[in-house]
Every structure is written in C-alpha cells, then in structure tokens.
Amino acid sequence: GQGVEQPAKLMSVEGTFARVNCTYSTSGFNGLSWYQQREGQAPVFLSYVVLDGLKDSGHFSTFLSRSNGYSYLLLTELQIKDSASYLCAVRDGNTGKLTFGDGTVLTVKP
Amino acid sequence: EAGVTQSPRYAVLQEGQAVSFWCDPISGHDTLYWYQQPRDQGPQLLVYFRDEAVIDNSQLPSDRFSAVRPKGTNSTLKIQSAKQGDTATYLCASSSGTNERLFFGHGTKLSVL
C-alpha cells in the first residue's frame, strides 16, 4: 500500500522560515508534489519533485530523499498570508494513483 | 483560461437521499480526478479517469457511489443513498498528459444529517 505522513501543526514567526516535513512509503515512487490549501478553498499546486536534492523556487524550496522516503517544503521570509495547510502528495508509478497526506496546518504569527 | 468548475457549491441531505455532483474540467485536460476531503483531513482519491476510461475506482464505495465521464470531458459523481459518514467536501481536479500539476475546482461541501 501507500502511506503519506505529515505533522498536523506547525507554528512560526513572520519574517523567519518554516519547514514542513513529509514521509512516505510506496511500492513504486514516481514523484512527489506539494499543494497549499487555504481555509475553505481548493488546493493549489506549489511544486513537483522526482529526483533527490533541493529544488529552489524562490519563496518555496523543496527537498527530496528517495532512499529515506522523505521530503520537506521550506518557506522562507514568511508572511502572515502563508498561514495555510500544506499538503504532500505521492504518485505511485505502478498504479498511477496520487495519494495525499492529511496536511500540515502552518500558522505564521506576527 | 477557465478553471475547473463544480456544482453545486453546497448540498444538505437527510440520510438515504441521493445527490449528484457535476464537474467541468479545464478544456483539453484528459485526466479527471474525484477526491473526498473530510474536515481536517487530506483529499482521499475516489476515482480517476483518463478520457472516458476509469483508471482506478478501487476506493469508490461501489454499493452507493458511481462516477461517469461519458465523452471524456464533463463528469458526474453520484451518491445513491447518503450516510452521515459521507459528510465531506468533494473535490474535482484535472490535469493534462504527463503533467503532474493538478488543477482543483472549489469543491462541493456536502452535509448529511
């Protein structure tokens, strides 16, 4: 089967950074995506990674370690509006299914 | 470019009633997903299509749920006899080819009393 785990909550301070962790298990890994979901709204795509290492996309960076089944989303220079749920999703290359974690609710305080 | 459109926005039912959700994906997107998202949880895949074909419906409760995409464009998800446990937001998403980016509709928030 496939499992995606994320911590439920994370708190950080405006102007600093936050790291949202994701661990996964799958029989046929074929990429990992991150989505942002604000309260009452639809998920919005942020990033996709399939190779190991750090992918820098400015405000958001994404790290992947396939051997450890681990990824993180790094948000820098946090703003209050970055407060949202961040969802990790893993693609199974055998079934094609995209499985989401339950999300990490990030609260950015002044 | 128009986004993914879903209707209705909200639905309130008594247990045992039926309801249908409609989704219009982004034009040209061949892959369409239906996800169920209970409150404070992540989206859980119910079914997904490539064109008109069902690729995976293993998580769809087949005794009460059904989904179709007859022309490979719009899709309908139906719950035949709703239960309180079906209370959730139903999200439709679409994507194109091998592009991993999913575009989500705003969802239908279902409450079953």
Side-chain angles (χ1 to χ4, degrees):
Chain A
Q2 187 161 276
V4 182
E5 300 292 331
Q6 301 182 242
K9 296 182 179 181
L10 181 64
M11 194 173 292
S12 193
V13 177
E14 187 178 19
T16 67
F17 69 95
R19 191 177 79 187
V20 184
N21 295 320
C22 173
T23 57
Y24 65 87
S25 62
T26 180
S27 57
F29 177 81
N30 194 26
L32 183 148
S33 301
W34 285 94
Y35 287 78
Q36 180 192 62
Q37 187 175 27
R38 292 201 164 91
E39 181 70 30
Q41 298 186 26
V44 174
F45 175 84
L46 295 177
S47 177
Y48 169 75
V49 286
V50 66
L51 299 176
D52 288 349
L54 185 66
K55 180 179 178 182
D56 187 356
S57 303
H59 184 48
F60 301 103
S61 297
T62 312
F63 173 82
L64 177 67
S65 170
R66 288 174 295 173
S67 61
N68 292 309
Y70 170 69
S71 175
Y72 68 72
L73 176 72
L74 181 69
L75 298 89
T76 56
E77 298 183 25
L78 285 170
Q79 302 174 51
I80 302 296
K81 67 178 183 178
D82 291 323
S83 296
S85 179
Y86 291 87
L87 298 162
C88 172
V90 174
R91 177 78 69 180
D92 185 310
N94 296 325
T95 65
K97 289 173 66 172
L98 184 67
T99 300
F100 283 82
D102 282 339
T104 296
V105 177
L106 172 65
T107 301
V108 180
K109 301 179 76 173
Chain B
E1 178 183 75
V4 177
T5 305
Q6 290 186 247
S7 66
R9 191 70 186 262
Y10 303 94
V12 180
L13 305 176
Q14 298 290 332
E15 274 199 318
Q17 289 186 308
V19 64
S20 291
F21 310 133
W22 180 81
C23 174
D24 187 6
I26 291 174
S27 178
H29 279 194
D30 56 351
T31 307
L32 185 148
Y33 304 80
W34 284 103
Y35 282 90
Q36 179 193 61
Q37 186 173 27
R39 185 167 179 78
D40 296 330
Q41 295 185 35
Q44 298 162 13
L45 182 68
L46 292 173
V47 59
Y48 82 99
F49 298 85
R50 187 162 296 118
D51 299 318
E52 67 277 7
V54 173
I55 304 301
D56 190 299
N57 63 357
S58 59
Q59 302 305 311
L60 193 69
S62 58
D63 57 332
R64 298 185 299 109
F65 285 64
S66 61
V68 294
R69 193 187 184 199
K71 297 182 179 179
T73 53
N74 301 338
S75 178
T76 303
L77 176 70
K78 183 173 183 178
I79 305 177
Q80 195 68 30
S81 178
K83 297 183 178 180
Q84 287 188 354
D86 298 332
T87 293
T89 296
Y90 290 81
L91 294 166
C92 177
S94 69
S95 66
S96 175
T98 57
N99 192 322
E100 280 294 323
R101 179 175 181 173
L102 269 61
F103 293 82
F104 283 85
H106 52 62
T108 295
K109 189 171 182 178
L110 173 67
S111 296
V112 183
L113 307 177

XYZ file of all heavy atoms in Angstrom, chain B residues 11-99:
692
model
N -24.447 21.197 -0.537
C -25.605 20.301 -0.548
C -25.851 19.824 0.874
O -24.896 19.478 1.582
C -25.368 19.120 -1.481
N -27.124 19.824 1.273
C -27.520 19.328 2.589
C -28.594 18.270 2.379
O -29.599 18.532 1.713
C -28.066 20.457 3.488
C -28.467 19.893 4.857
C -27.031 21.564 3.643
N -28.356 17.084 2.918
C -29.254 15.955 2.693
C -29.620 15.283 4.003
O -28.891 15.370 4.987
C -28.561 14.882 1.838
C -27.975 15.241 0.493
C -27.262 14.023 -0.079
C -29.059 15.710 -0.455
N -30.723 14.558 3.956
C -31.034 13.608 5.019
C -30.421 12.264 4.617
O -30.255 11.979 3.423
C -32.543 13.466 5.177
C -33.261 14.746 5.575
C -32.947 15.167 6.990
O -32.646 14.340 7.861
N -32.970 16.478 7.244
N -30.121 11.438 5.577
C -29.620 10.089 5.278
C -30.609 9.367 4.357
O -31.823 9.472 4.533
C -29.430 9.282 6.561
C -28.087 9.499 7.220
C -27.733 8.375 8.187
O -28.634 7.940 8.920
O -26.562 7.935 8.205
N -30.061 8.653 3.388
C -30.891 7.902 2.473
C -31.218 8.631 1.182
O -31.656 8.008 0.209
N -31.000 9.939 1.169
C -31.266 10.695 -0.051
C -30.121 10.540 -1.040
O -29.000 10.169 -0.678
C -31.484 12.184 0.277
C -32.798 12.452 0.993
C -33.036 13.951 1.170
O -32.174 14.675 1.674
N -34.220 14.394 0.769
N -30.405 10.878 -2.297
C -29.415 10.804 -3.365
C -28.958 12.211 -3.742
O -29.685 13.199 -3.544
C -29.997 10.106 -4.587
N -27.742 12.294 -4.291
C -27.202 13.583 -4.721
C -26.207 13.345 -5.853
O -25.552 12.296 -5.908
C -26.514 14.308 -3.540
C -25.305 13.533 -3.032
C -26.134 15.729 -3.917
N -26.138 14.311 -6.762
C -25.160 14.247 -7.852
C -24.313 15.492 -7.852
O -24.814 16.604 -7.626
C -25.877 14.124 -9.207
O -26.497 12.871 -9.333
N -23.034 15.286 -8.132
C -22.082 16.381 -8.246
C -21.587 16.412 -9.688
O -21.330 15.365 -10.285
C -20.880 16.177 -7.312
C -21.237 15.866 -5.896
C -20.624 14.830 -5.219
C -22.179 16.633 -5.227
C -20.936 14.547 -3.902
C -22.498 16.356 -3.907
C -21.878 15.302 -3.245
N -21.403 17.629 -10.183
C -21.003 17.796 -11.585
C -19.673 18.527 -11.663
O -19.397 19.416 -10.852
C -22.110 18.566 -12.305
C -21.854 18.804 -13.741
C -22.035 17.951 -14.774
C -21.371 20.021 -14.314
N -21.711 18.551 -15.956
C -21.280 19.835 -15.706
C -21.001 21.266 -13.788
C -20.858 20.832 -16.573
C -20.574 22.257 -14.644
C -20.507 22.019 -16.036
N -18.844 18.131 -12.630
C -17.531 18.735 -12.786
C -17.238 18.991 -14.256
O -17.403 18.087 -15.096
C -16.447 17.829 -12.202
S -14.747 18.406 -12.491
N -16.784 20.197 -14.560
C -16.330 20.555 -15.896
C -14.833 20.859 -15.803
O -14.450 21.885 -15.239
C -17.095 21.769 -16.410
C -16.773 22.087 -17.859
O -16.035 21.306 -18.505
O -17.252 23.120 -18.358
N -13.971 19.992 -16.330
C -12.527 20.207 -16.183
C -12.030 21.300 -17.130
O -12.792 21.815 -17.952
C -11.945 18.852 -16.579
C -12.927 18.329 -17.585
C -14.277 18.793 -17.098
N -10.778 21.630 -17.007
C -10.150 22.576 -17.936
C -10.143 21.940 -19.330
O -9.829 20.750 -19.485
C -8.732 22.922 -17.471
C -8.809 23.762 -16.181
C -7.969 23.674 -18.550
C -7.472 24.049 -15.534
N -10.496 22.749 -20.309
C -10.581 22.256 -21.675
C -9.259 21.636 -22.135
O -8.196 22.234 -21.965
C -10.955 23.419 -22.602
O -10.994 22.982 -23.952
N -9.354 20.425 -22.668
C -8.155 19.748 -23.164
C -7.480 18.849 -22.153
O -6.575 18.083 -22.504
N -7.896 18.938 -20.898
C -7.295 18.065 -19.881
C -7.893 16.663 -20.008
O -9.104 16.476 -19.909
C -7.548 18.624 -18.479
C -6.603 19.716 -18.116
N -6.463 20.173 -16.823
C -5.741 20.438 -18.867
C -5.537 21.126 -16.794
N -5.089 21.301 -18.035
N -7.020 15.670 -20.166
C -7.516 14.322 -20.398
C -7.771 13.545 -19.095
O -8.541 12.591 -19.100
C -6.541 13.534 -21.285
C -5.129 13.479 -20.720
O -4.832 14.189 -19.730
O -4.312 12.711 -21.268
N -7.157 13.962 -18.011
C -7.276 13.212 -16.754
C -8.136 13.978 -15.759
O -7.947 15.181 -15.574
C -5.887 12.929 -16.159
O -5.071 12.294 -17.156
C -5.999 11.999 -14.954
N -9.078 13.272 -15.166
C -10.016 13.893 -14.221
C -10.083 13.037 -12.966
O -10.181 11.802 -13.038
C -11.404 14.023 -14.860
C -12.480 14.758 -14.044
C -13.448 15.492 -14.978
C -13.232 13.848 -13.112
N -9.998 13.702 -11.814
C -9.988 13.033 -10.515
C -11.186 13.501 -9.690
O -11.555 14.675 -9.723
C -8.741 13.408 -9.719
C -7.410 13.144 -10.386
C -6.898 14.013 -11.339
C -6.639 12.050 -10.021
C -5.662 13.785 -11.937
C -5.392 11.808 -10.598
C -4.911 12.683 -11.556
O -3.680 12.463 -12.126
N -11.729 12.596 -8.894
C -12.663 12.929 -7.822
C -12.018 12.539 -6.497
O -11.614 11.384 -6.302
C -13.984 12.189 -7.972
C -14.909 12.720 -9.022
C -15.146 12.207 -10.260
C -15.761 13.864 -8.909
N -16.078 12.956 -10.928
C -16.472 13.990 -10.112
C -16.005 14.805 -7.894
C -17.405 15.004 -10.355
C -16.924 15.818 -8.133
C -17.608 15.903 -9.347
N -11.950 13.518 -5.590
C -11.428 13.291 -4.246
C -12.502 13.637 -3.217
O -13.298 14.556 -3.413
C -10.206 14.178 -3.976
C -8.912 13.696 -4.589
C -8.530 14.091 -5.866
C -8.060 12.848 -3.884
C -7.331 13.656 -6.424
C -6.860 12.411 -4.436
C -6.513 12.821 -5.707
O -5.324 12.385 -6.253
N -12.481 12.910 -2.106
C -13.321 13.213 -0.952
C -12.413 13.765 0.142
O -11.395 13.150 0.470
C -14.003 11.938 -0.454
C -14.900 12.129 0.767
C -15.291 10.800 1.395
O -14.449 10.034 1.848
N -16.582 10.497 1.401
N -12.765 14.935 0.686
C -11.941 15.518 1.742
C -12.784 15.770 2.985
O -13.501 16.788 3.056
C -11.275 16.813 1.278
C -10.297 17.371 2.303
C -9.493 18.557 1.816
O -9.929 19.306 0.943
N -8.294 18.752 2.392
N -12.725 14.865 3.964
C -13.401 15.122 5.244
C -12.711 16.292 5.948
O -11.545 16.604 5.664
C -13.199 13.815 6.024
C -12.835 12.787 4.993
C -12.091 13.541 3.930
N -13.422 16.901 6.862
C -12.867 18.044 7.586
C -11.573 17.659 8.293
O -11.488 16.608 8.915
C -13.898 18.582 8.579
C -13.455 19.830 9.272
C -14.572 20.516 10.006
N -14.117 21.709 10.685
C -13.885 22.872 10.107
N -14.081 22.998 8.806
N -13.466 23.913 10.799
N -10.583 18.503 8.188
C -9.280 18.331 8.850
C -8.512 17.092 8.368
O -7.664 16.558 9.102
C -9.447 18.272 10.378
C -9.976 19.580 10.938
O -9.691 20.640 10.332
O -10.678 19.549 11.961
N -8.819 16.631 7.184
C -8.060 15.540 6.576
C -7.634 15.938 5.169
O -8.098 16.945 4.619
C -8.893 14.255 6.517
C -9.243 13.676 7.871
C -9.956 12.355 7.750
O -9.680 11.544 6.855
N -10.884 12.100 8.660
N -6.738 15.147 4.593
C -6.321 15.388 3.223
C -7.302 14.803 2.234
O -8.168 13.997 2.596
N -7.196 15.204 0.972
C -8.060 14.624 -0.062
C -7.791 13.123 -0.218
O -6.640 12.703 -0.247
C -7.644 15.384 -1.330
C -6.997 16.642 -0.841
C -6.319 16.263 0.437
N -8.861 12.357 -0.330
C -8.764 10.904 -0.492
C -9.361 10.534 -1.850
O -10.520 10.836 -2.117
C -9.491 10.194 0.647
C -8.872 10.501 2.010
C -9.783 10.198 3.186
O -10.803 9.526 3.035
N -9.421 10.673 4.371
N -8.562 9.877 -2.679
C -8.990 9.558 -4.041
C -10.174 8.602 -4.040
O -10.157 7.556 -3.382
C -7.827 8.937 -4.819
C -8.127 8.592 -6.278
C -8.335 9.871 -7.100
C -7.006 7.758 -6.877
N -11.204 8.977 -4.809
C -12.343 8.085 -5.019
C -12.211 7.355 -6.366
O -12.360 6.139 -6.451
C -13.647 8.879 -5.012
C -14.061 9.492 -3.671
C -15.276 10.395 -3.871
C -14.368 8.403 -2.657
N -11.938 8.130 -7.406
C -11.885 7.573 -8.757
C -11.142 8.555 -9.648
O -11.158 9.752 -9.395
C -13.320 7.333 -9.301
C -14.117 8.631 -9.327
C -13.324 6.689 -10.681
N -10.461 8.008 -10.697
C -9.943 8.918 -11.694
C -10.053 8.310 -13.091
O -10.066 7.089 -13.258
C -8.550 9.433 -11.359
C -7.351 8.589 -11.691
C -6.607 8.833 -12.850
C -6.902 7.601 -10.824
C -5.466 8.104 -13.132
C -5.757 6.873 -11.097
C -5.034 7.130 -12.249
O -3.891 6.405 -12.532
N -10.188 9.218 -14.059
C -10.425 8.865 -15.454
C -9.283 9.397 -16.314
O -8.716 10.443 -16.029
C -11.701 9.549 -15.980
C -12.968 9.171 -15.284
C -13.353 9.817 -14.111
C -13.801 8.204 -15.810
C -14.541 9.490 -13.477
C -14.995 7.871 -15.189
C -15.372 8.517 -14.019
N -9.015 8.666 -17.363
C -8.226 9.227 -18.459
C -9.129 9.140 -19.681
O -9.550 8.046 -20.083
C -6.926 8.466 -18.693
C -6.033 9.146 -19.724
C -4.593 8.680 -19.659
N -3.992 9.053 -18.388
C -3.532 8.172 -17.496
N -3.598 6.872 -17.721
N -3.010 8.583 -16.365
N -9.435 10.320 -20.220
C -10.506 10.425 -21.223
C -11.783 9.831 -20.615
O -12.139 10.189 -19.500
C -10.090 9.741 -22.520
C -8.844 10.393 -23.129
O -8.782 11.647 -23.117
O -7.941 9.673 -23.599
N -12.456 8.904 -21.292
C -13.704 8.380 -20.737
C -13.495 7.109 -19.915
O -14.442 6.590 -19.309
C -14.706 8.106 -21.869
C -14.320 6.984 -22.809
C -13.358 7.418 -23.901
O -12.869 8.572 -23.859
O -13.077 6.591 -24.790
N -12.267 6.617 -19.863
C -11.993 5.344 -19.189
C -11.681 5.527 -17.706
O -10.902 6.415 -17.337
C -10.830 4.649 -19.875
N -12.267 4.653 -16.896
C -11.923 4.619 -15.471
C -10.561 3.942 -15.322
O -10.375 2.811 -15.762
C -12.974 3.832 -14.668
C -12.512 3.658 -13.219
C -14.316 4.530 -14.715
N -9.617 4.656 -14.702
C -8.289 4.097 -14.480
C -8.216 3.409 -13.124
O -7.637 2.328 -12.990
C -7.195 5.168 -14.594
C -7.273 5.875 -15.958
C -5.828 4.555 -14.360
C -7.121 4.945 -17.150
N -8.797 4.042 -12.120
C -8.801 3.450 -10.775
C -10.053 3.899 -10.043
O -10.305 5.089 -9.923
C -7.553 3.871 -9.996
C -7.390 3.090 -8.688
O -8.279 3.181 -7.825
O -6.370 2.393 -8.538
N -10.853 2.951 -9.582
C -12.015 3.261 -8.742
C -12.034 2.354 -7.521
O -13.094 2.107 -6.941
C -13.312 3.138 -9.532
C -13.558 1.721 -10.038
O -12.732 0.826 -9.855
N -14.684 1.518 -10.694
N -10.857 1.879 -7.139
C -10.777 0.901 -6.058
C -11.226 1.456 -4.703
O -11.583 0.693 -3.806
C -9.346 0.360 -5.945
O -8.427 1.410 -5.703
N -11.195 2.787 -4.540
C -11.608 3.397 -3.273
C -13.029 3.950 -3.334
O -13.479 4.583 -2.377
C -10.634 4.523 -2.898
C -9.192 4.061 -2.777
C -9.021 2.915 -1.795
O -9.507 2.971 -0.665
N -8.360 1.861 -2.229
N -13.733 3.701 -4.403
C -15.109 4.183 -4.550
C -16.060 3.148 -3.951
O -16.080 1.998 -4.401
C -15.413 4.382 -6.038
C -16.665 5.154 -6.419
C -16.504 6.621 -6.056
C -16.926 5.007 -7.910
N -16.848 3.533 -2.926
C -17.824 2.587 -2.345
C -18.874 2.248 -3.399
O -19.872 2.962 -3.559
C -18.412 3.368 -1.158
C -17.456 4.485 -0.892
C -16.855 4.837 -2.223
N -18.689 1.164 -4.104
C -19.477 0.883 -5.305
C -20.939 0.572 -5.037
O -21.765 0.629 -5.947
C -18.839 -0.259 -6.091
O -18.746 -1.409 -5.273
N -21.256 0.276 -3.783
C -22.657 -0.013 -3.491
C -23.509 1.248 -3.472
O -24.723 1.193 -3.665
C -22.782 -0.748 -2.149
C -22.174 0.040 -0.993
O -21.235 0.823 -1.237
O -22.635 -0.137 0.144
N -22.858 2.423 -3.287
C -23.643 3.650 -3.196
C -23.113 4.777 -4.078
O -23.833 5.726 -4.346
C -23.687 4.144 -1.745
C -24.338 3.177 -0.775
C -24.452 3.777 0.621
N -23.144 4.108 1.174
C -22.697 5.343 1.336
N -23.459 6.384 0.990
N -21.506 5.558 1.863
N -21.865 4.702 -4.480
C -21.246 5.754 -5.272
C -21.080 5.262 -6.718
O -20.763 4.094 -6.954
C -19.861 6.104 -4.733
C -19.834 6.917 -3.465
C -20.336 6.412 -2.282
C -19.286 8.189 -3.462
C -20.300 7.166 -1.115
C -19.232 8.945 -2.296
C -19.735 8.426 -1.124
N -21.246 6.197 -7.647
C -20.934 5.906 -9.037
C -20.383 7.169 -9.691
O -20.708 8.281 -9.270
C -22.167 5.413 -9.797
O -23.171 6.400 -9.807
N -19.555 6.987 -10.702
C -18.967 8.134 -11.403
C -18.863 7.789 -12.876
O -18.528 6.670 -13.252
C -17.589 8.470 -10.836
N -19.160 8.796 -13.702
C -19.070 8.610 -15.153
C -18.421 9.824 -15.786
O -18.494 10.944 -15.259
C -20.458 8.361 -15.789
C -21.037 7.040 -15.315
C -21.405 9.510 -15.497
N -17.855 9.589 -16.946
C -17.281 10.660 -17.769
C -17.472 10.222 -19.228
O -16.522 9.890 -19.918
C -15.801 10.860 -17.444
C -15.224 12.147 -18.012
C -13.718 12.241 -17.809
N -13.217 13.521 -18.269
C -11.935 13.763 -18.561
N -11.030 12.784 -18.439
N -11.557 14.959 -18.967
N -18.696 10.251 -19.698
C -19.058 9.560 -20.951
C -18.354 10.057 -22.202
O -18.106 9.267 -23.109
C -20.577 9.767 -21.032
C -20.871 10.896 -20.118
C -19.845 10.869 -19.047
N -18.056 11.328 -22.304
C -17.434 11.855 -23.525
C -15.997 12.303 -23.271
O -15.408 12.979 -24.120
C -18.262 13.006 -24.085
C -19.667 12.601 -24.521
C -20.422 13.769 -25.116
C -21.818 13.332 -25.555
N -22.597 14.467 -26.124
N -15.480 11.946 -22.116
C -14.118 12.332 -21.805
C -13.953 13.804 -21.488
O -12.838 14.325 -21.527
N -15.060 14.469 -21.172
C -14.984 15.883 -20.791
C -15.587 16.043 -19.402
O -14.911 15.791 -18.420
C -15.700 16.778 -21.822
O -17.029 16.290 -22.023
C -14.939 16.791 -23.131
N -16.877 16.423 -19.318
C -17.530 16.594 -18.017
C -17.683 15.258 -17.307
O -17.687 14.188 -17.933
C -18.925 17.198 -18.208
C -18.879 18.544 -18.901
O -17.851 19.210 -18.873
N -19.966 18.923 -19.535
N -17.867 15.347 -15.987
C -18.035 14.139 -15.185
C -19.094 14.360 -14.121
O -19.311 15.488 -13.665
C -16.718 13.757 -14.516
O -16.868 12.615 -13.686
N -19.765 13.272 -13.751
C -20.760 13.300 -12.683
C -20.430 12.236 -11.657
O -20.148 11.084 -12.018
C -22.176 13.044 -13.240
O -22.479 14.009 -14.247
C -23.206 13.136 -12.134
N -20.459 12.630 -10.395
C -20.313 11.707 -9.270
C -21.651 11.656 -8.550
O -22.214 12.702 -8.225
C -19.216 12.200 -8.320
C -18.998 11.407 -7.029
C -18.391 10.043 -7.332
C -18.087 12.187 -6.073
N -22.162 10.453 -8.323
C -23.469 10.309 -7.692
C -23.370 9.446 -6.438
O -22.683 8.424 -6.432
C -24.465 9.678 -8.669
C -25.884 9.562 -8.102
C -26.866 9.086 -9.144
C -28.274 9.041 -8.577
N -29.283 8.630 -9.588
N -24.086 9.901 -5.405
C -24.247 9.093 -4.192
C -25.708 8.660 -4.157
O -26.621 9.498 -4.137
C -23.876 9.873 -2.920
C -22.460 10.446 -3.028
C -23.991 8.967 -1.697
C -22.045 11.302 -1.843
N -25.910 7.345 -4.143
C -27.263 6.827 -4.264
C -28.053 6.979 -2.963
O -29.208 7.366 -2.987
C -27.189 5.344 -4.649
C -28.485 4.763 -5.150
C -28.869 5.353 -6.506
O -28.017 5.721 -7.305
N -30.152 5.489 -6.762
N -27.476 6.644 -1.862
C -28.150 6.670 -0.567
C -27.153 7.180 0.464
O -26.366 6.417 1.025
C -28.631 5.254 -0.210
O -29.254 5.249 1.056
N -27.206 8.476 0.708
C -26.167 9.120 1.514
C -26.217 8.687 2.975
O -27.295 8.395 3.533
C -26.311 10.637 1.421
N -25.025 8.635 3.582
C -24.884 8.346 5.007
C -24.169 9.526 5.673
O -23.485 10.304 5.007
C -24.048 7.084 5.204
C -24.665 5.829 4.638
C -23.792 4.621 4.936
C -24.439 3.343 4.411
N -23.606 2.143 4.686
N -24.317 9.626 6.987
C -23.671 10.733 7.709
C -22.160 10.725 7.482
O -21.533 11.787 7.405
C -23.988 10.641 9.199
C -25.417 11.027 9.545
C -25.666 11.109 11.039
O -24.804 10.776 11.855
N -26.864 11.547 11.417
N -21.568 9.556 7.343
C -20.132 9.437 7.106
C -19.683 9.985 5.762
O -18.474 10.126 5.530
N -20.635 10.292 4.890
C -20.287 10.880 3.585
C -20.087 12.387 3.693
O -19.699 13.028 2.706
C -21.390 10.597 2.554
C -21.587 9.106 2.306
O -20.618 8.344 2.464
O -22.732 8.723 1.969
N -20.375 12.957 4.853
C -20.179 14.397 5.058
C -18.721 14.751 4.799
O -17.812 14.229 5.449
C -20.589 14.800 6.489
O -21.997 14.622 6.629
C -20.232 16.248 6.766
N -18.488 15.634 3.829
C -17.138 15.975 3.388
C -17.248 16.993 2.257
O -18.349 17.302 1.793
C -16.400 14.738 2.865
N -16.097 17.480 1.818
C -16.031 18.280 0.589
C -15.580 17.362 -0.536
O -14.613 16.603 -0.376
C -15.068 19.462 0.739
O -15.577 20.341 1.752
C -14.929 20.234 -0.565
N -16.284 17.427 -1.650
C -15.952 16.599 -2.813
C -15.261 17.482 -3.838
O -15.836 18.443 -4.351
C -17.205 15.924 -3.361
C -17.688 14.876 -2.399
C -18.445 15.230 -1.280
C -17.334 13.543 -2.545
C -18.841 14.279 -0.346
C -17.723 12.580 -1.627
C -18.469 12.960 -0.529
O -18.854 12.008 0.403
N -14.009 17.145 -4.100
C -13.157 17.935 -4.984
C -12.974 17.234 -6.315
O -12.710 16.038 -6.371
C -11.777 18.135 -4.351
C -11.713 18.963 -3.076
C -10.362 18.770 -2.398
C -11.931 20.425 -3.381
N -13.083 18.000 -7.379
C -12.765 17.519 -8.713
C -11.474 18.206 -9.149
O -11.269 19.396 -8.866
C -13.899 17.847 -9.673
S -13.577 17.375 -11.395
N -10.610 17.478 -9.814
C -9.365 18.049 -10.312
C -9.087 17.507 -11.707
O -9.551 16.413 -12.064
C -8.198 17.707 -9.385
N -8.343 18.277 -12.497
C -7.965 17.789 -13.817
C -6.500 18.080 -14.085
O -5.887 18.951 -13.459
C -8.851 18.404 -14.906
O -8.597 19.785 -15.077
N -5.941 17.304 -15.007
C -4.555 17.505 -15.419
C -4.424 17.083 -16.874
O -5.318 16.439 -17.448
C -3.595 16.715 -14.538
O -3.770 15.330 -14.719
N -3.261 17.451 -17.453
C -3.059 17.204 -18.876
C -1.863 16.294 -19.103
O -0.766 16.605 -18.638
C -2.838 18.533 -19.595
O -2.536 18.327 -20.952
N -2.057 15.184 -19.787
C -0.977 14.286 -20.170
C -0.167 13.831 -18.973
O -0.704 13.389 -17.970
N 1.151 13.990 -19.095
C 2.050 13.562 -18.021
C 2.382 14.692 -17.060
O 3.207 14.526 -16.163
C 3.357 13.018 -18.610
O 3.950 14.039 -19.432
C 3.105 11.780 -19.456
N 1.738 15.852 -17.243
C 1.973 16.982 -16.340
C 1.443 16.645 -14.956
O 0.285 16.272 -14.804
C 1.276 18.226 -16.887
C 1.708 19.500 -16.178
O 1.921 19.498 -14.968
N 1.843 20.577 -16.937
